[in-house]
Amino acid sequence: MKWANNAVKPLLWLVMAAATNGCGWLLDSATERFASGLQQAVMAHSDPQTVVQALPAYLLALEAALAKDADNPDLLLTTADLYNAYVGLIPDDPARKRRLTQKTFTLLQQGLCRQGSAWCDFPKHSAERLQARVAEAEVAELENLYRIGTIWAAWIQARSDDWNAVAGLAAVKAVMLRVVELQDDYQQGKAHAYLAVMESLLPEALGGHPELAKQHFVRALQLAPDNQMFAVLYAKHYARMAFDRDLHDNLLKKVLSTQIDKPDLNLVNALAQQQAQQLLDSADDYF
C-alpha cells in the first residue's frame, strides 16, 4: 500500500518562507496571508531536503497562531494541507506518519466543522450516507472534496496494515471521481492521477482496472504535460504492472532529460527526477 505516499508526492505544494527574524510579526499581523504564502512560495524550490528540514518550524508557527485563533477555519484547513504535504516528503517512519496523519485528519475535520460545512464529521457517516453526499456535491465544494480525498488517502496509507482503515479507499475513490465529474481539469489533473494509481493497485486478474488506470494517466498528462511526477507514476504503477518495459523506460528517460523551469512545479519535478532515476536503476531486476 505504498501507493498513497507516491500519489501524494505530486501534490507537495509546500512553501518555505525566507523570513528569519520577521516571522512573529507576520503571524501576528497577517497569519492567513503568511499561511497562503507558505503554500505558494516553495513550489519554486528545487531542493526537497531543504524543504523537509525547514518546514517543521513554520508548521509549529502556524500551530502557535491556531492556539490564539482556534476557530479560524481557513487557518485550520491550510495547516492541514501543509501537514499533509509534509508527511508525503518525510522518509518512511510508520509510527511518525501515523501520528502526523492523525493530526492532519483532526485539523481537517475541525476546519470543516468551524466552516459550517456539510462535510463536518464526514468520517462518522455511513457508507450509504457518504456516497449520497458525494453524489450531491456541487462545484462550489470542489476545494473541500479534493482536500478530503488527498488527506484521507494519506491517512489510509499510514495505516495500510489496518483493514478497517483500508476500507476507506472506496470512499476516497468516489470523492475523486466526483471531483473529475464536476471539473475534469481541477488542480491540473491531479485527481486523475489519484484515480489512476488507485485503479493500478491490483492486476486485472485480481479485480484491478489497468486500462482505466491508463486512461486516467493519459488524461492527467494531457492536462499537465509539464508535471513530470505524472509520468513517473504512470511508469511505476501502470507500466510495471503491465510489464511494458518500453513504456516504462521511455517515460522515465523523458523525465530525466526534460528541464522545466516553472515556479509551481520545481519541487515536484525535482522529486520526480529522483524517483525516475531510482526506477530506472531497478528496472533490470523488475522486468
Side-chain angles (χ1 to χ4, degrees):
M1 294 293 291
K2 293 181 180 179
W3 69 271
N5 190 36
N6 289 324
V8 170
K9 284 184 178 177
L11 313 167
L12 307 178
W13 290 283
L14 315 177
V15 186
M16 187 188 80
T20 54
N21 298 322
C23 184
W25 177 84
L26 281 168
L27 287 170
D28 290 340
S29 65
T31 302
E32 291 179 34
R33 281 205 308 275
F34 171 82
S36 177
L38 203 61
Q39 285 185 301
Q40 295 172 5
V42 171
M43 293 158 68
H45 208 288
S46 59
D47 183 27
Q49 186 176 0
T50 298
V51 177
V52 170
Q53 292 173 347
L55 193 60
Y58 294 98
L59 289 169
L60 288 175
L62 290 176
E63 288 205 64
L66 279 172
K68 296 181 179 180
D69 195 8
D71 292 326
N72 185 324
D74 292 336
L75 186 56
L76 284 162
L77 294 172
T78 296
T79 305
D81 289 339
L82 288 168
Y83 262 112
N84 196 47
Y86 176 65
V87 169
L89 274 175
I90 61 177
D92 287 337
D93 182 338
R96 187 181 184 210
K97 289 201 173 189
R98 283 193 294 272
R99 289 195 302 271
L100 291 177
T101 53
Q102 186 58 55
K103 174 185 283 290
T104 304
F105 209 66
T106 299
L107 288 166
L108 169 65
Q109 292 178 74
Q110 290 174 343
L112 293 172
C113 291
R114 300 295 189 279
Q115 194 183 61
S117 169
W119 295 102
C120 178
D121 292 332
F122 70 91
K124 298 179 182 178
H125 296 175
S126 67
E128 293 77 12
R129 182 184 174 192
L130 187 59
Q131 286 187 353
R133 181 70 191 87
V134 169
E136 295 168 355
E138 300 178 350
V139 172
E141 300 174 273
L142 269 171
E143 185 177 21
N144 279 341
L145 264 182
Y146 182 75
R147 177 180 281 126
I148 288 168
T150 58
I151 290 176
W152 201 351
W155 185 89
I156 292 170
Q157 189 276 331
R159 294 158 181 78
S160 59
D161 57 350
D162 180 350
W163 285 107
N164 289 324
V166 172
L169 281 175
V172 173
K173 181 178 175 181
V175 166
M176 290 304 189
L177 281 170
R178 185 58 178 160
V179 169
V180 299
E181 287 172 358
L182 290 170
Q183 186 176 326
D184 180 60
D185 62 350
Y186 186 72
Q187 289 285 327
Q188 296 183 316
K190 298 181 187 79
H192 280 287
Y194 268 91
L195 288 166
V197 172
M198 284 189 276
E199 297 292 3
S200 304
L201 288 175
L202 297 171
E204 191 170 15
L206 295 177
H209 303 94
E211 287 308 307
L212 185 55
K214 182 178 181 179
Q215 292 174 27
H216 282 298
F217 276 127
V218 169
R219 184 57 179 153
L221 285 167
Q222 287 174 341
L223 292 170
D226 291 338
N227 190 326
Q228 301 299 299
M229 187 61 77
F230 290 169
V232 171
L233 293 171
Y234 190 8
K236 180 174 183 177
H237 292 282
Y238 175 80
R240 287 201 170 200
M241 180 178 61
F243 283 91
D244 190 336
R245 178 71 184 266
D246 288 342
L247 176 63
H248 178 272
D249 288 3
N250 288 338
L251 285 166
L252 298 176
K253 288 176 181 177
K254 184 177 179 181
V255 169
L256 291 172
S257 65
T258 302
Q259 298 298 323
I260 296 171
D261 185 12
K262 295 190 69 173
D264 60 335
L265 290 173
N266 285 347
L267 180 62
V268 171
N269 287 342
L271 287 164
Q273 291 193 328
Q274 290 178 8
Q275 293 187 32
Q277 189 61 63
Q278 293 168 1
L279 289 169
L280 278 175
D281 290 344
S282 64
D284 287 341
D285 294 330
Y286 186 88
F287 290 99

